[in-house]
Structure formats: structure tokens, C-alpha cells
Amino acid sequence: MPIDETDPVPADPSAPHVEAHLPPGVTRGEGTLRAFRKVLANTLVANVTSSYLWFALTFWAYLETRSVMATAIIGGGYMLFTAVLGTFFGTLVDRHRKKQVMVASSTVTLLAYAASGGLWLLLGEERLADWGSAWFWLFTGVILVGGVVESLRNIALSTTVTLLVPEDGRDKANGLVGTVQGVSFMITSVFSGLSVGLLGMGWTLAIAIVLTGVALLHLVPVTIPELDPDPEEGGPRIDVRGAISAITAVPGLVALILFTTFNNLVNGVYIALMDPYGLTLFSVEAWGIVLGVTGLGFVVGGGLVAKLGLGSDPVRTLLLVNLGIAVLGMTFTLREWAWLYVLGIFVFMAIIPMAESAEQTILQRVVPYRTQGRVFGFAQSVELAASPLSAFLIGPVAEFALIPYMESAEGRDTWRWLLGDGDARGIALVFLAAGAIMFVTVLLALASAPYRRLSSAYAAAPPQQLETSGATD
């Protein structure tokens, strides 16, 4: 049934209003953990495919256009559509079985990638590579659709962790999710660069289509033990009110989402400019290898969380790791040294799984299971909406203002003492400013009352009770 003022979402996640249950006779334990591992393995296959093509598209677009604005629009467009559709995706996750959601996501992604392959065969690379033409944007837009719909799986996976993993192992399970994402990033960043550089975009598309089909076939026999959720007939397709009710019921949770939203505004700068900066220092083949090697940071960070957990206060952990990201942003491009940039990216990627695992673990504990899809989707919508805004803004600002300024005698003389010399000092200035802004924001958050309230809410929340009464192992 729809959520309204007469059906508030209690702050107690274990309250009997939770309607999603495991099947009779099933409790969270070794059996459900095996199901979780199968889902995680399938996610690895899907993420490898989606990341492979998305990285390749970004590399190809920059090499063909040599335009920072083009890559900023592509990256920002992905974030924008993911943000716009987040709450809708979350509502789908809450109202359907997780397996059905994942299969539908993979099917749409396969159709989108196949359509992009058809455009390549019909029009050819020369017409598609002109970023001033409608065909370029249609081609990238179709690939974008496949990538955005693939993000639906991530929301479903977050709720699946709550369903299948016992409370005391959930933070470590989120660490495994981060590790899988890191492995897929590491693999695809290497092969995307090599694929574009050695095979070309056409063969890259063909490989992505085949791998997407393999991922879908692998998913079909995977079983997730879950009863049908309440269809909530009459409820809205995009249940914003239900998500907001669940969020406002938890003290400090609104502040956490706002904090992450602001940080994503800053992170949009990195999204827009990291590849252009790297491609200034390296060839496309070498840059792909660099991303693959630094992608080990994801594996290291996720592995540490999977082994050690997040401590007793994931809220504090989340803020501290963001403080580390801010320091990195201010330092990893102070000089145009390849080793400094590579080291900075490695540490940055090691920290990211810790931040994401912390946020996931907080939401999985304090938000009722039946509304978690909507909350994860709404949080994704609000948080990611900031990234395309900054990506769209920083692309033209960097290309037409900061980069020319830093290439001028005045710019070099003014900033040489801090940023040194090089071909990408304009981008380095943007990174420095973004990191400084994030640093101040995290310090303010650590001193705030909402931080203390959310930490207390997390500590006081009892475990999610999802098993049916009387169920046995």
C-alpha cells in the first residue's frame, strides 16, 4: 500500500511493518550468503562490461575531438540521467523481486549496446566522430542509456545485502562489493585503453555486446531467495514521498545526504578533468594501463573493509575518509609529475570503497528494508545530481578560461611557486581549489550536531528482522 501521513515509516527498522521476507524455512546464514556471492559474481561480469564500454567511449571521444567540453558533457550526462532516474529505479527495486530487476536491467543494456553497434555499422566512424553533429550525440546517448540502466543493478544489490547478509557481517559484505567494483574497474580501464588504441571503437563495441549477453545468460540461473514484495497498488511510480518519509524518520540522515551531495558537487570536477589530465601525461594505451594499475586501490580499499569492517561508528569513518580525499585533491597535481598523479589516484581509489561501504552500511541499518530501494535511489538522485552540474560547468570554464589563463605569462608567474610548470596547470588549479573546498566542508561536518545525532541513531538501531517467524535453518 502507498505510504501516506497515516502510514509513517517508523525510525525502528525492526518494526513489524517490514513486509519483505525471506521464504518460509529460510534464515540469513550460510545458504543466503552463497546466494549473495553468486549475485556478486554476476555483478562483476556486468560491471566489467559496462565499465569497459564507458571508459572506451570517453577515451575515444577525447582522442577524436580533443575537447575537454565533449568529455565533460558525456560524463556529466551519465551522472545527470542516473540522478534523474534514481528514485524511479529505487521504487522499482522495492516493488519487484531483485532477480527480476537485475534481469530487466541487463536486457535493456544489451539492447542499447546492440543499437549502438548498429549505428556504427550504418554510419561509420568518420560521421560518428564529429562531435558537432547529431549523430555523435545519438551514438553516445544510446551507449549512455545502457550504462545508466545498468546502475539499477547497484540499487538492487544494496538491498540484497540487507536481505541475505547477517547484521554483523554487512559492513564486510559491502567491502566485498567495493572489491568487486575495484576489480572490474582495474580490468576494464586497462583493456578499454588497449582496445581503443589497438582495435578501434568498432571492435570494442562488438566485444561489449558479446560480454553483455554473457552476463545476462549467467544471471538467468542465479536464485535470490525472496518472497514477492507488496505491490503497493495505487502508489506512485516514482515514490519520492515514501523515500523522504523514511529519510526524515532517522535523526541526522538528511544532513548525511546533503553532505554527500555537496562532496559530489566537488567530485564532479574530478570526473570531468581526470581523464584529460591523464591523457596529457600518457598515451591512451598507457593511460588505460595506469588506470588498471591504480584500480588495485579499489581492491585494496574494499579488501580492507571486507577483512576489518568499518569500526563501531561508520558515520565517523565516512567523514574521515572524505577528509583524506580532500587532502589528495589539493596535492596530487601540485607538480606535473606522472608518478605523483599515479600515486594520488591509487590512494584516492583505495579510499573510495571505504566511503561507499560506510554510507551503504549506515543506510542498511537505520532504514526499514521495505523502503531501502527508494531511499538508496533517492539518495543516488540527490547526491549524483551535483556531479553533472559541476561537470557541465567546469568543462567550459577550464577550456575557455582557466587553461588559457595558466598558459599565459601572468598565470604562470602567479602560480608557478605552488603549481610549478607544465601543460596542464589550468586543470591542476581546479583540482587544488576543489580539494580545499571539500576539506573545509568535512571539518564543518565533523563539528556539527547532525553528525552526533546520526552516530547515536546508528548505535541505537536494532538489527533488521527480515526472517519469517518460526523459520529454521
Side-chain angles (χ1 to χ4, degrees), residues 258-321:
L258 290 176
F259 167 79
T260 308
T261 299
F262 184 82
N263 275 1
N264 280 357
L265 182 67
V266 178
N267 285 335
V269 173
Y270 301 112
I271 293 170
L273 301 180
M274 186 172 287
D275 282 333
Y277 191 94
L279 290 169
T280 301
L281 300 178
F282 304 95
S283 67
V284 62
E285 295 89 348
W287 177 234
I289 294 173
V290 166
L291 287 178
V293 172
T294 54
L296 284 170
F298 274 125
V299 180
V300 171
L304 288 174
V305 176
K307 182 174 179 60
L308 303 176
L310 295 165
S312 60
D313 188 357
V315 183
R316 181 177 178 84
T317 301
L318 176 63
L319 295 180
L320 290 179
V321 296

Side-chain angles (χ1 to χ4, degrees), residues 134-212:
W135 294 118
F136 174 88
W137 296 109
L138 176 62
F139 176 67
T140 57
V142 171
I143 295 176
L144 181 145
V145 168
V148 168
V149 173
E150 184 64 31
S151 71
L152 174 60
R153 292 174 56 97
N154 295 329
I155 299 175
L157 181 63
S158 296
T159 62
T160 302
V161 171
T162 309
L163 178 69
L164 301 180
V165 179
E167 170 75 20
D168 59 357
R170 202 169 293 148
D171 57 346
K172 297 179 179 179
N174 288 322
L176 286 175
V177 173
T179 301
V180 164
Q181 292 172 342
V183 170
S184 66
F185 177 90
M186 178 181 62
I187 294 173
T188 57
S189 57
V190 172
F191 284 100
S192 295
L194 292 175
S195 185
V196 171
L198 301 178
L199 300 178
M201 192 63 187
W203 281 108
T204 299
L205 274 169
I207 293 171
I209 293 168
V210 171
L211 290 177
T212 305

Side-chain angles (χ1 to χ4, degrees), residues 422-442:
D423 296 327
R425 296 301 81 204
I427 298 177
L429 180 61
V430 178
F431 284 151
L432 175 64
I437 293 171
M438 181 182 289
F439 186 83
V440 173
T441 303
V442 177

